[in-house]
Amino acid sequence: MSCRLSHRPLRAACLAAALLVAGPVTGAGAEPGLPEKGESVGVLLTRLQGLYQKAEEATEAYNATEVALKAGQAEERLRTADLGRARTALDSEKALAGRLAREQYQGGRGLSPYARMLLAGNPQAALDQRRLAAREGARRAAVLARLARGEKEAGALAVRARKALDARQTLAARQKLHQDEVAAQLKEVERVLSALTPDQLARLGAKEAENTAVAQRDLVDSGRLPTRTGTPTAAGGAALTYAAAQIGKPYVWGAEGPGSFDCSGLTSQAWAHAGRAIPRTSQEQWARLPKVPLDRLRPGDLVVYFPKATHVGLYIGDGKVIQAPRPGARVKVSPIAANPLLGAVRPDPDGAPLAEFTPPALPEAPAAEAGDDSGYSAEEAPEETSEGAAADEATSAR
């Protein structure tokens, strides 16, 4: 059996299969970070939440660096193209200056324009020669001025091109560090999970479901959600339709489709397919898109979670979101309160809701809503009774 991790998330199905074959790791409680004998489900939930937190932060840092790297690569290409054009123009000016120098040298062996002007047979011819001499002098001066400017511009563009290259190389190195950090954190999660019995995994799943149900009931009872589901805008409806079509595809950190997604990869691609570009990461979506109160949510809005805005889903109405929860899970429909709410944002604040909207067909509830609901981040590990993220279950994985 082979479970490859590399920079992709751990494969929960492989892990679960290994658990069922090998059973719990003996003596695991003696190692730091591993479950101790008799450790409660709540404590395990808290431990895993803390590990997932570090992985989520590294994942979003990776995503942000990837965005900056793509921008840096575009900047480098632009500067390199500018430099190429400047050097081509400079070569042309140098060639022209060389030709003028040769003409001047060759003309020096005969009469200069000024001598021809003095020897002209009549005043009109003298004036014509004077104009020719002035025009030739101005031409040569202009060529030399353009040559000087071209050399200066080419030098400045070369400096900018070098800075763009250096910046891209720095970002590439930073991206590699974030990639290694995600892999390390997910390996640590795998190490903890591999020490659990199938019974412990089942109890963790039950605890997560219990926490989600309590949080959802409290949120609904609080009156913070809309009393009825409205209609989306045309763009919001298109984003919702796209997201619904991705249900069942695996979570893969750093992925933005078409075969797999992470949380912000799903929301950014949904809105891109609706014709509106939004930031790639959940933090930037939260920071740069207009905020909207929860009681004014409409389908297509983005619901952002955790104090650091490290998780996001797409609101579909009726107190539910479509989201890519975490490694080992698949894109699914979840209760809006599956994770600690930070707030909501609206990618198209100027759009008018449709008069009528037929929601996209969703898979039957068991298929659409099966698996993990919780994302995997928090600013700090939650208390035992909070909406913590449970372990990756052996339900579905790529």
Side-chain angles (χ1 to χ4, degrees):
M1 181 180 299
S2 172
C3 290
R4 181 173 63 86
L5 182 66
S6 68
H7 75 286
R8 296 301 187 188
L10 72 125
R11 286 9 179 199
C14 285
L15 174 60
L19 286 171
L20 292 174
V21 172
V25 176
T26 59
E31 296 185 42
L34 293 182
E36 297 180 2
K37 185 176 181 180
E39 190 171 24
S40 72
V41 170
V43 172
L44 282 175
L45 204 59
T46 299
R47 184 193 302 278
L48 287 165
Q49 178 70 29
L51 293 175
Y52 279 135
Q53 170 204 347
K54 295 177 182 178
E56 179 72 58
E57 291 177 0
T59 296
E60 288 300 297
Y62 173 90
N63 289 338
T65 305
E66 184 176 36
V67 171
L69 181 57
K70 288 179 180 178
Q73 289 169 335
E75 174 73 10
E76 183 188 355
R77 287 192 296 270
L78 177 63
R79 295 306 177 193
T80 300
D82 288 344
L83 179 58
R85 286 191 293 270
R87 283 176 171 168
T88 299
L90 182 59
D91 289 342
S92 297
E93 295 297 340
K94 285 181 178 179
L96 179 57
R99 182 167 61 82
L100 291 177
R102 287 191 299 274
E103 290 176 356
Q104 186 175 16
Y105 171 74
Q106 292 167 354
R109 291 181 296 179
L111 294 174
S112 71
Y114 298 101
R116 289 194 295 271
M117 179 183 67
L118 293 174
L119 296 175
N122 58 67
Q124 183 59 48
L127 288 174
D128 291 342
Q129 289 295 329
R130 181 179 179 182
R131 280 195 294 270
L132 288 173
R135 187 168 60 190
E136 186 66 18
R139 179 190 177 202
R140 291 174 181 174
V143 169
L144 292 175
R146 289 198 303 270
L147 184 61
R149 287 197 303 270
E151 289 177 339
K152 183 177 180 180
E153 180 182 0
L157 287 171
V159 171
R160 293 176 191 169
R162 182 63 199 179
K163 287 183 177 179
L165 175 61
D166 291 343
R168 181 181 63 79
Q169 292 174 337
T170 298
L171 285 169
R174 187 182 303 166
Q175 184 184 46
K176 180 63 167 59
L177 289 176
H178 292 320
Q179 176 178 313
D180 292 344
E181 175 65 13
V182 174
Q185 294 301 332
L186 292 178
K187 281 182 180 292
E188 180 65 14
V189 172
E190 182 178 16
R191 193 169 75 98
V192 173
L193 289 174
S194 65
L196 303 179
T197 66
D199 177 66
Q200 286 174 310
L201 287 172
R203 286 189 289 121
L204 280 170
K207 180 66 174 177
E208 176 186 41
E210 177 188 346
N211 286 345
T212 296
V214 171
Q216 183 75 3
R217 184 171 60 250
D218 290 345
L219 179 61
V220 171
D221 291 345
S222 73
R224 294 174 63 198
L225 295 180
T227 55
R228 58 178 292 274
T229 297
T231 58
T233 61
L240 179 57
T241 299
Y242 177 86
Q246 313 315 309
I247 290 174
K249 293 184 178 180
Y251 179 108
V252 172
W253 69 267
E256 47 188 333
S260 56
F261 298 87
D262 65 13
C263 65
S264 56
L266 176 64
T267 54
S268 61
Q269 284 300 304
W271 274 95
H273 280 75
R276 184 176 291 260
I278 64 173
R280 166 64 175 88
T281 68
S282 57
Q283 292 100 328
E284 285 298 295
Q285 290 171 7
W286 173 250
R288 293 170 53 188
L289 297 178
K291 307 293 190 297
V292 58
L294 291 180
D295 62 0
R296 295 170 65 183
L297 276 172
R298 69 187 182 200
D301 289 342
L302 305 184
V303 181
V304 185
Y305 297 95
F306 299 106
K308 292 185 179 180
T310 47
H311 192 69
V312 63
L314 189 130
Y315 187 65
I316 62 175
D318 196 29
K320 295 180 180 180
V321 296
I322 296 177
Q323 60 154 341
R326 64 172 185 248
R330 293 178 180 268
V331 176
K332 61 165 298 185
V333 176
S334 298
I336 191 174
N339 300 285
L341 282 162
L342 178 61
V345 293
R346 179 164 291 167
D348 60 340
D350 299 327
L354 297 170
E356 295 182 359
F357 177 71
T358 301
L362 300 176
E364 293 297 325
E369 302 178 10
D372 303 307
D373 279 306
S374 295
Y376 68 145
S377 174
E379 191 162 81
E380 57 188 10
E383 297 298 328
E384 182 171 332
T385 57
S386 70
E387 300 88 359
D392 291 298
E393 296 177 43
T395 53
S396 58
R398 181 180 170 187

